[in-house]
Amino acid sequence: MDRLGVTMPGLGTRLGKFAEFAALAEQANFDCVWDYEFWRNPFTIHMPTAAATSRIPLATGIAAAFSRSPYELANAAADVDELSGGRLVLGIGPGAMEFLEWFHSAPVGNFV
C-alpha cells in the first residue's frame, strides 16, 4: 500500500503557520504530517497541528534523544499524543553530532 506524507518546512516558517499547513494536509488526504528537529522543537510544532486537525497522524521524523532526558522526551510526546487523541508517531534519534556540541554544549565523545 502506497502512503504519502508531508513534511513541515521548519526553517523560516512562523510558528503560527504550522496549524494551517497541517489542516491543509489533512484536507488534501495526506497520510501523515511529519516534522523534524532542525531549528524548531518538533513537539512545539505538533501542539498547534494537533489542535487544528482531527484524523491525520502527527509524526516526529526525528526528535533528538540525547539532548533531552528520557523523562522530558516522554512528557513532551505524551502531551502531543493526548492533545491529538492518540495520533502521535514518535521518531527519535541521536541527532547530528555537531548539533550536540554546537547547540547543547555536549561533547560528542560522551555519546559515541
Side-chain angles (χ1 to χ4, degrees):
M1 170 202 296
D2 291 333
R3 300 186 75 192
L4 187 59
V6 63
T7 300
M8 293 288 182
L11 187 59
T13 301
R14 295 181 51 84
L15 191 57
K17 297 297 281 183
F18 293 112
E20 178 184 340
F21 293 157
L24 290 170
E26 185 171 75
Q27 290 170 11
N29 291 317
F30 279 96
D31 295 303
C32 196
V33 172
W34 293 85
D35 69 352
Y36 49 93
E37 187 139 23
F38 186 70
W39 304 117
R40 293 282 190 175
N41 180 316
F43 303 107
T44 301
I45 290 171
H46 274 321
M47 292 303 280
T49 65
T53 58
S54 61
R55 64 154 188 84
I56 194 167
L58 309 173
T60 59
I62 294 291
F66 290 164
S67 58
R68 295 179 170 88
S69 72
Y71 178 80
E72 194 278 331
L73 180 65
N75 266 344
D79 288 344
V80 174
D81 197 57
E82 178 183 334
L83 184 61
S84 70
R87 294 181 288 131
L88 178 68
V89 177
L90 178 63
I92 62 172
M97 294 296 148
E98 296 83 4
F99 285 0
L100 288 172
E101 288 187 340
W102 299 338
F103 298 150
H104 301 287
S105 302
V108 171
N110 294 343
F111 301 105
V112 291

